[in-house]
Amino acid sequence: MAGIYIHVPFCKSKCCYCDFYSMPSRGRDDLMEKYFQGVLNEFKHRSSLLSGLNVNTLYIGGGTPSSLLLPLLANLIDALLVPEMKEVTVEINPEDITPALVELLASKGVNRVSMGIQSFNSDLLKFVGRRHSSDDIFNAVKLLRSAGISNISGDLIFGLPGDTFDGWKRSVETFMKLGLPHLSAYLLSYEPGTRLTVMRDLGKIVEATEDLVTRMYLHLIETSARHGYEHYEISNYAIPGYKSKHNSSYWDGTIYLGLGPGAHSFDGTTRSFNPPSLKEYIANNGLVNVIEETSLTDKINDLIITTLRTSSGLNLNTLSAYQRDQILLRGKSHLNRGTLNISVDNRLYIPEEHFLISDSILVDLIFD
């Protein structure tokens, strides 16, 4: 199996917390066309990575793919879609959903969308730079479902400045009432260089307390479980049958080809990336891929980090005796505290109530 990821580096506006590579789309029609030609050329020259494999998933992310000119988005899907694909996902923002966009997605075989909801509190949305209101969310879902696109994933963020526990509860309850089959819920992170981090450092906003975000998280896992969602990865929850096939490839070692500036790829052994520069990408007609030099230590650390993000965890039976013994030795204190567990089929995993502190657990496990 294999997948294709396309990074669209355009957004209509930049959210104050976002550090993904993107630029304003307004007035960039010419750049969009050159970007598209670069993607086509990159795919032509790098598609051998997928030779002999069943390409099951296509994921168009960003940035904001729904900010592309509709004819370009249509051409992008046409150029990369292959008949055997089981899951074709496009990231969208609620305010971009129009009858024309929905008709395009449905007609091109898009069978899944990932929508940036973030919150149902319109004041919070406005504060962090989102362009949609809570009404836009409901309208978008209605339009998508009317076109037969029911596999909809929604993103939520907890720990937003100014949010409260009761406010978060209302957002979670509203999400559950929408009945979307997939939820991605992220703890807000203050990334270097973002406007939100600058505001925090200047004292203009106050970061949510550890106690508050822990209460928010525990409420989320309890509520999602009660509504039938499986918490299958640190940030992802799905009704049975609706796990993201493409995103799962990042955690289970599936091969994927990343196209566009800022995209990453994995050939089953080696990881590579495209520098996050549209200027460089266009100048080289998409041929900018850089191989990441990795040692055996890097590879085992990569395995630890990716698998322990999931509820399935790390299969200890696949490791050498030395690797297994070293990981268990390094994780002894966590095993004693219950922040790490071993399943009956010999899988090491982080219990979901401790996913919030996964970084502190993983740092103790990785090899020097």
Side-chain angles (χ1 to χ4, degrees):
M1 297 193 305
I4 299 173
Y5 171 77
I6 306 171
H7 188 80
V8 177
F10 300 101
C11 280
K12 290 182 179 176
S13 62
K14 188 86 167 178
C15 300
C16 67
Y17 53 78
C18 180
D19 72 333
F20 290 119
Y21 177 64
S22 66
M23 64 182 58
S25 58
R26 185 180 178 86
R28 304 294 177 98
D29 294 6
D30 184 52
L31 279 182
M32 286 185 187
E33 176 61 40
K34 291 178 180 177
Y35 154 81
F36 171 67
Q37 294 302 326
V39 170
L40 294 185
N41 192 55
E42 183 183 9
F43 182 64
K44 175 183 175 182
H45 284 84
R46 299 188 59 224
S47 59
S48 58
L49 183 148
L50 306 173
S51 180
L53 300 173
N54 290 325
V55 183
N56 289 331
T57 65
L58 171 64
Y59 193 107
I60 303 178
T64 312
S66 53
S67 68
L68 280 176
L69 299 171
L70 290 190
L72 274 186
L73 179 58
N75 291 340
L76 195 61
I77 297 170
D78 284 341
L80 280 301
L81 192 67
V82 294
E84 66 264 27
M85 284 179 174
K86 297 179 180 178
E87 182 185 88
V88 181
T89 304
V90 176
E91 289 184 355
I92 58 175
N93 282 338
E95 70 278 10
D96 293 333
I97 297 301
T98 62
L101 175 59
V102 169
E103 181 183 355
L104 182 156
L105 297 177
S107 68
K108 294 300 179 182
V110 173
N111 56 18
R112 183 177 185 272
V113 299
S114 178
M115 185 161 57
I117 294 172
Q118 319 311 5
S119 173
F120 289 92
N121 182 320
S122 293
D123 290 335
L124 280 179
L125 290 170
K126 183 177 180 181
F127 176 77
V128 297
R130 302 295 294 183
R131 295 180 295 116
H132 67 272
S133 67
S134 57
D135 287 342
D136 292 328
I137 299 166
F138 297 107
N139 293 334
V141 171
K142 184 178 179 180
L143 273 175
L144 288 165
R145 284 174 170 162
S146 70
I149 302 175
S150 58
N151 190 356
I152 304 170
S153 176
D155 292 356
L156 291 178
I157 298 177
F158 60 103
L160 288 168
D163 203 0
T164 63
F165 180 67
D166 286 341
W168 172 246
K169 283 177 64 177
R170 285 192 293 272
S171 277
V172 173
E173 289 162 8
T174 304
F175 185 95
M176 296 303 158
K177 289 177 182 177
L178 267 181
L180 304 186
H182 192 279
L183 165 65
S184 296
Y186 304 96
L187 171 61
L188 177 70
S189 59
Y190 288 80
E191 301 295 340
T194 63
R195 287 186 288 122
L196 194 69
T197 299
V198 172
M199 285 190 283
R200 181 200 62 183
D201 294 345
L202 291 175
K204 294 183 177 181
I205 58 170
V206 177
E207 193 169 345
T209 66
E210 182 178 341
D211 177 67
L212 176 58
V213 298
T214 299
R215 290 178 65 207
M216 288 175 163
Y217 173 70
L218 293 177
H219 174 75
L220 172 63
I221 62 174
E222 187 276 328
T223 305
S224 60
R226 182 158 36 87
H227 284 81
Y229 290 80
E230 178 187 350
H231 190 182
Y232 69 100
E233 191 268 345
I234 285 179
S235 302
N236 288 280
Y237 308 71
I239 296 296
Y242 287 92
K243 292 180 184 179
S244 169
K245 294 180 176 65
H246 182 86
N247 287 345
S248 294
S249 68
Y250 300 145
W251 313 311
D252 66 11
T254 298
I255 292 170
Y256 58 91
L257 172 64
L259 306 172
H264 289 248
S265 302
F266 179 59
D267 67 4
T269 303
T270 304
R271 297 190 182 275
S272 62
F273 68 94
N274 292 340
S277 167
L278 181 60
K279 182 179 180 180
E280 181 179 349
Y281 190 79
I282 290 174
N284 291 278
N285 203 14
L287 303 183
V288 294
N289 192 246
V290 178
I291 303 296
E292 295 183 26
E293 297 297 329
T294 54
S295 64
L296 290 176
T297 298
D298 294 329
K299 290 177 180 178
I300 185 62
N301 287 340
D302 188 50
L303 181 66
I304 292 169
I305 291 168
T306 53
T307 57
L308 287 177
R309 291 187 60 89
T310 70
S311 59
S312 299
L314 171 61
N315 187 349
L316 296 173
N317 296 324
T318 63
L319 305 177
S320 69
Y322 171 76
Q323 291 170 339
R324 183 171 59 251
D325 291 345
Q326 283 297 308
I327 289 172
L328 293 179
L329 178 63
R330 294 162 188 261
K332 185 176 180 180
S333 62
H334 292 291
L335 289 164
N336 290 337
R337 289 196 296 268
T339 48
L340 273 177
N341 279 341
I342 299 178
S343 68
V344 293
D345 58 349
N346 210 26
R347 290 178 177 271
L348 185 70
Y349 69 95
I350 301 173
E352 68 169 339
E353 63 268 25
H354 299 300
F355 269 153
L356 270 185
I357 60 168
S358 59
D359 286 349
S360 64
I361 299 170
L362 293 173
V363 76
D364 291 338
L365 299 180
I366 60 175
F367 288 59
D368 300 326

